[in-house]
Amino acid sequence: MAMIALKPPMGWNSWNTFSGNVSDTLIRETADYIVENGFLDAGYDIVSIDDCWMLRDRDENGNLVPDPEKFPNGIKALADYVHSKGLKFGIYEDAGTMTCAGFPGSFGHERQDAKQFAEWGIDLLKYDFCYSTPGCSDVNLYRRMGQALRETGRDIIFSGCWGNDGVWKWMRSCGAHMWRLTGDIFDSWESIEKVGFGALGLEAYAGPSGWNDPDMMVVGLNGQGYVGHIGGGCTTNEYQAHFALWCMLSAPLLMGHDVRKTTPEVKEILQNKELIAIDQDDAGIPAYKIPGYSDVLAKPLADGSMALGLFNREPNWKYMALSWDYCGWEVTDRVKLYDVIAHKDLGEFKCGATLRVEGHSCLIFKATRI
Ligand code: GLA
């Protein structure tokens, strides 16, 4: 197997909007839209079905059976279609006896399922942790599937979910390429804050081929769809800050809205190539929080520059300060700031900068020492 997921995976997953309402048509239309509307060019190259794609029972040979009403052409034909568009194809299973929505889990069938996934042409497996088997440790449950996937010989991104005792500490050793840090995200600023800022401090665990995953994004849900109804929606500034935070964290960028209904504002957020370049930077170093400052993040970049983020988590605007010494520079260095959201050069700064940041918003700079 090749070394894969050298950059945080990017794509789309069905769960946040569609939960159990997945179908062949939805996946095909999503794939078409992604290719025809600039998302593939921006880097989003995975289309994934989440839970609820199968029947409640395995067949007499113990195989998983795709729901024939939702997927009348089967999974292989759908994967072939997605591949024909230049995209990768992802699917979902669970380490326990059932998936979170109550469909058959992979426990005891790991090799059979992994072989099936490889035969179908799956490129990413999201592997959940509901109904985990008592008596079998979390680590071992993920190890069983990690091993089974490797033995197929196919390059499959293994996307782990939760587990006990800090998955970030051991998930990479199970063969996973990303791991969920928290419970589910919802479409609200509170939820974005909780899962996004919760990732700070764990940056040392992530890097090429193994990424911290604060969950799939809710950008553009606008209170619609499954987790949209639960969270109620966000403002455009909040979605912008959410996307920027995920990029600073080197997080997988998995869209969760109905892409077929993408608005121009949401497209602009999700296709910001300069922010995406920060997420996908070759150094693969997630941002760290500057101690003593409120929500100032720094992400070292491969070209010797730095991405700096000022996140205002309060509802009203405030001034926020940057100082150079915390990111390995001298306080008195001259630094050029380029605003990657406004796409604007702000010129040269010495001994730091103080900037106004709107409520529930952020400023992100590419900072280069002169
Ligand atoms: C869990 C996961 C979600 C989704 C659902 C599917 O809640 O965290 O992302 O996959 O299961 O049932």
Side-chain angles (χ1 to χ4, degrees), residues 113-128:
D113 293 351
K115 189 163 168 279
Q116 177 72 87
F117 295 148
E119 281 165 12
W120 282 341
I122 299 308
D123 306 295
L124 176 147
L125 173 66
K126 173 173 169 181
Y127 205 50
D128 218 328

Side-chain angles (χ1 to χ4, degrees), residues 226-287:
Y226 184 64
V227 307
H229 288 307
I230 302 174
C234 295
T235 65
T236 303
N237 273 357
E238 289 169 343
Y239 285 139
Q240 175 65 77
H242 164 26
F243 183 68
L245 179 57
W246 264 233
C247 292
M248 290 296 282
L249 295 170
S250 306
L253 299 177
L254 296 170
M255 302 183 285
H257 70 301
D258 183 348
V259 285
R260 301 167 304 178
K261 297 182 182 152
T262 306
T263 61
E265 299 79 51
V266 166
K267 186 171 175 181
E268 199 179 322
I269 293 173
L270 291 168
Q271 293 191 10
N272 181 331
K273 294 193 175 149
E274 289 166 339
L275 268 176
I276 293 172
I278 289 173
D279 179 78
Q280 301 281 303
D281 184 69
D282 281 340
I285 306 174

Side-chain angles (χ1 to χ4, degrees), residues 104-162:
S106 280
F107 181 70
H109 294 268
E110 288 91 345
R111 290 181 191 162
Q112 183 174 10
D113 293 351
K115 189 163 168 279
Q116 177 72 87
F117 295 148
E119 281 165 12
W120 282 341
I122 299 308
D123 306 295
L124 176 147
L125 173 66
K126 173 173 169 181
Y127 205 50
D128 218 328
F129 198 67
C130 286
Y131 302 100
S132 53
T133 319
C136 196
S137 74
D138 304 20
V139 182
N140 207 33
L141 285 172
Y142 281 103
R143 242 177 223 159
R144 291 167 64 91
M145 184 51 94
Q147 186 56 26
L149 288 174
R150 263 196 315 283
E151 286 177 7
T152 68
R154 185 174 171 84
D155 289 336
I156 298 177
I157 298 172
F158 186 25
S159 164
C161 274
W162 49 287

Side-chain angles (χ1 to χ4, degrees), residues 189 193 196-198 200 245 248 288-298 308-314 318 320-322 326 357 361-364:
W189 177 248
E193 272 197 293
F197 291 98
L200 293 170
L245 179 57
M248 290 296 282
Y288 55 86
K289 182 174 164 356
I290 307 305
Y293 283 77
S294 59
D295 306 310
V296 178
L297 309 189
L308 297 175
L310 299 174
F311 289 84
N312 179 2
R313 293 164 66 177
E314 290 158 32
K318 66 177 181 183
M320 296 184 73
L322 281 171
Y326 49 61
V357 190
S361 298
C362 70
L363 293 174
I364 309 285

Side-chain angles (χ1 to χ4, degrees), residues 15 50-51 92 100-101 126 128 130 161-162 180 184 215-216:
W15 184 256
D50 207 280
D51 206 348
Y92 168 100
C100 297
K126 173 173 169 181
D128 218 328
C130 286
C161 274
W162 49 287
R180 276 276 294 279
D184 293 10
D215 206 356
M216 305 165 299

